[in-house]
């Protein structure tokens, strides 16, 4: 039997909160969250296709 990772749907705020617990400051938090999104570890899904999330 294969072990399959369960998909956990989190809000973007949950990811930001988790990262900020270990980051040294807000700038580092934003860089890590942006990197997670860019690498595909975190995917952002919205109900409105015209909405964009920009992390600087």
């Amino acid at each position: 039997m294969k072990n399959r990772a369960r998909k956990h749907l989190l809000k973007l705020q949950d990811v930001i909160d988790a990262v900020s617990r270990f980051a040294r400051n807000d700038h580092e938090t934003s860089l890590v969250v942006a990197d997670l999104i860019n690498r595909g570890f975190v995917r952002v899904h919205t109900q409105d296709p015209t909405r964009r999330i920009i992390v600087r």
Side-chain angles (χ1 to χ4, degrees):
M1 183 179 282
K2 292 182 181 180
N3 289 334
R4 295 184 184 195
R6 293 183 182 192
K7 290 185 180 183
H8 297 283
L9 298 179
L10 300 174
K11 293 181 181 180
L12 182 59
Q13 185 63 47
D14 297 331
V15 175
I16 293 169
D17 290 341
V19 170
S20 68
R21 288 184 203 145
F22 300 98
R24 289 177 273 181
N25 53 41
D26 289 344
H27 182 70
E28 187 175 66
T29 300
S30 64
L31 290 175
V32 170
V33 171
D35 186 56
L36 290 171
I37 293 170
N38 289 333
R39 288 177 183 237
F41 291 112
V42 173
R43 283 183 257 155
V44 179
H45 297 276
T46 62
Q47 297 294 333
D48 183 4
T50 60
R51 289 180 67 188
R52 295 174 58 198
I53 295 175
I54 301 171
V55 181
R56 295 184 183 183

